[in-house]
Amino acid sequence: MEIGSFYEIDSQIISGALPRCDGFCLDGVERYGKRNTVFTASAREAVRLALKSMGGRRSNAKRRCLMPAYMCDSVFLPFFLEGWELVFYHLDRNLKPDFEEFAQQTERVRPELIFIHSYYGADTWKDARGLLAKWRRAGIKVMEDVTQSYYLSSAGQEADYIIGSLRKWYAIPDGAFVAADGPLRCGCISESDAFASEKLEVMQEKWKYLNEGGQNKDNKAKFLQKNRRLEEELDAVGEIRKMSLASEILLSRTEEAKAQRKRRENAEFLKNRIFEDSGISFAPSGGAPLYLPVYAKDRDQVQAFLAQRGIYAPTLWPVGAANREFLNEDEKYIYSRILALPVDFRYGGQEMRYIADTLNQWRDQNWNRS
């Protein structure tokens, strides 16, 4: 049994040469209620398109964005490419800002953009969404990243721009979106399916490895290496690309409500079955999250213990060069301890039971060390 890592896909799923539909839409994105939506190849490109759509600078000085210090460093890249300055605000171990401190920082920094992120399906801005509306009235734009909380009903209500990575949620080779009430600069988007074509091949290779018997470690090493190369290449992409036709086809066949229900059921199963002791505890999460997060005292050892048993739980995220010097003690705690358990639609009770039993086995073996 192998659980986690990037999605696999059966080659039989992709069939027929369907034409691209300019009117493609997705129910999960439509529910945000924005007038304009563009589907891009990656979330990095979705962020960059949103930044380009904000219009010209007020002066020659760099624009400022308030950014959470706990964030994937791939989010920082489009800001640097578009000439923005990032000012980091802090979170506590519950993944929430100190809203009073944040309000003072906003008054002091006077940013043109506030970037927020609801973590792991929980509305970590629930208590302060009214503040966002206030700042929008004062002329500050708000961008909300729903990559970890795509199904969260309260997300995006106070945002000028909503961005999210769809390829993290579904078995598609590429795909992300930006949604806004204002216009989006579609003229700067190119059409290139090269990345998606290669990624699709890797996903099919993984499916064959998992489903056609005689698992070959050499084959696994090869498709994992290809996947790493493709993911690294995303940082070097200089253009903003439209989401591929393959992803449009696959998403048009996706039962989003079913996928959401499966994530919620899997997350609840683990919450009810994992014992919190021996240095393992639940991090804040809710609803149907991208992953179920836990804090692990010996995170790297726990991750290795799981991997040795075929469970691949990522650490979200590695610390980036841009925010490394700005982290407070709570954020260092998050970065050093958080582990993301797979709960996606590929899995059910059998896999969740295996994850829980494996973590509980770790707990039993390390009880005296806690």
Side-chain angles (χ1 to χ4, degrees), residues 67-358:
M67 172 75 64
Y70 171 56
M71 180 53 55
C72 178
D73 63 354
S74 66
V75 173
F76 305 155
L77 183 60
F79 284 90
F80 297 146
L81 291 173
E82 293 300 316
W84 284 69
E85 176 187 358
L86 297 180
V87 180
F88 295 102
Y89 63 88
H90 294 299
L91 307 176
D92 60 24
R93 295 181 190 184
N94 291 318
L95 304 177
K96 291 183 178 181
D98 179 326
F99 294 117
E100 182 176 349
E101 179 184 3
F102 182 84
Q104 294 172 356
Q105 189 177 18
T106 302
E107 293 298 322
R108 183 176 68 255
V109 172
R110 294 287 179 176
E112 291 183 85
L113 178 67
I114 294 171
F115 189 101
I116 70 171
H117 189 105
S118 292
Y119 297 94
Y120 303 103
D123 190 354
T124 48
W125 274 84
K126 180 179 179 180
D127 298 332
R129 287 193 177 271
L131 288 175
L132 295 175
K134 169 189 171 183
W135 289 318
R136 285 181 73 194
R137 290 193 296 270
I140 300 174
K141 301 291 185 182
V142 174
M143 185 182 299
E144 181 160 3
D145 183 350
V146 296
T147 295
Q148 289 189 350
S149 303
Y150 174 64
Y151 299 125
L152 183 65
S153 61
S154 57
Q157 295 177 4
E158 296 80 16
D160 296 278
Y161 300 95
I162 307 172
I163 62 100
S165 174
L166 294 168
R167 69 192 187 97
K168 302 291 178 61
W169 290 86
Y170 300 116
I172 54 177
D174 70 339
F177 72 93
V178 54
D181 282 326
L184 295 169
R185 288 184 56 184
C186 299
C188 63
I189 300 174
S190 64
E191 295 198 24
S192 173
D193 288 356
F195 172 87
S197 296
E198 282 199 77
K199 183 74 172 186
L200 198 58
E201 290 177 3
V202 173
M203 296 170 73
Q204 291 175 88
E205 289 172 15
K206 182 181 178 184
W207 189 92
K208 291 177 182 177
Y209 168 81
L210 292 174
N211 294 279
E212 292 189 350
Q215 294 182 353
N216 187 303
K217 290 184 178 180
D218 289 338
N219 289 344
K220 180 178 181 179
K222 289 177 182 178
F223 70 66
L224 288 176
Q225 184 178 17
K226 288 181 185 177
N227 189 66
R228 281 193 295 271
R229 174 180 59 81
L230 287 170
E231 293 300 318
E232 290 169 358
E233 287 177 359
L234 281 177
D235 284 339
V237 172
E239 57 189 340
I240 301 173
R241 301 160 300 174
K242 189 171 184 178
M243 185 176 69
S244 68
L245 174 59
S247 291
E248 285 189 6
I249 295 171
L250 290 167
L251 285 171
S252 68
R253 300 172 180 175
T254 295
E255 298 180 71
E256 289 202 280
K258 183 178 179 180
Q260 178 181 3
R261 183 173 64 254
K262 181 62 70 174
R263 283 183 181 273
R264 181 182 294 110
E265 291 172 352
N266 288 340
E268 287 301 318
F269 185 100
L270 290 182
K271 286 181 180 179
N272 291 328
R273 189 128 183 161
I274 294 172
F275 300 118
E276 291 189 90
D277 275 310
S278 189
I280 296 176
S281 60
F282 290 113
S285 65
L290 181 64
Y291 293 96
L292 181 68
V294 295
Y295 288 139
K297 179 181 178 182
D298 300 309
R299 194 266 310 276
D300 294 346
Q301 291 93 323
V302 176
Q303 185 184 38
F305 185 85
L306 292 173
Q308 289 166 3
R309 290 153 181 80
I311 302 167
Y312 302 103
T315 58
L316 302 181
W317 298 277
V319 179
N323 63 338
R324 187 181 305 277
E325 302 301 321
F326 297 93
L327 301 179
N328 65 18
E329 290 306 311
D330 280 348
E331 290 151 355
K332 291 176 182 177
Y333 179 96
I334 296 168
Y335 271 115
S336 65
R337 295 200 177 203
I338 205 157
L339 193 62
L341 304 178
V343 293
D344 63 73
F345 61 87
R346 291 175 288 181
Y347 310 121
Q350 180 183 1
E351 292 85 1
M352 296 302 104
R353 189 174 296 105
Y354 181 61
I355 293 174
D357 289 348
T358 304

